[in-house]
Amino acid sequence: HFVNEFSGDVQFFAGDAMLALWPVTPIDDFKTQARAAAECATRIQAELASLASSSSSSSSDITLSLRIGLSGG
């Protein structure tokens, strides 16, 4: 959902991991696509934080966490 919103392409899922690409095109240069990927990552992390805070209770020992890596070149 968020990847598509930020003009990325989900390539595949492997277990609990996902690979998404933001291809460089004549219209969307590297800087534009890198910014879109970073904004997408920030949005995903914010959404997870929102979900975690809305579903947390004092009796729950469950912690949600997420790591996102960006690479370019």
Side-chain angles (χ1 to χ4, degrees), residues 42-55:
T42 302
R43 178 81 178 271
I44 291 170
Q45 289 176 326
E47 182 69 16
L48 180 68
S50 175
L51 288 171
S53 67
S54 68
S55 65

Side-chain angles (χ1 to χ4, degrees), residues 30 70-73:
F30 179 79
L70 301 175
S71 178

Side-chain angles (χ1 to χ4, degrees), residues 8-64:
D9 296 319
V10 174
Q11 295 299 301
F12 64 84
F13 291 91
D16 63 352
M18 176 184 74
L19 175 66
L21 300 176
W22 278 260
V24 174
T25 67
I27 297 170
D28 297 314
D29 64 0
F30 179 79
K31 185 176 179 179
T32 301
Q33 294 299 68
R35 181 179 301 275
E39 289 175 357
C40 181
T42 302
R43 178 81 178 271
I44 291 170
Q45 289 176 326
E47 182 69 16
L48 180 68
S50 175
L51 288 171
S53 67
S54 68
S55 65
S56 66
S57 67
S58 59
S59 64
S60 175
D61 291 333
I62 298 172
T63 301
L64 296 176

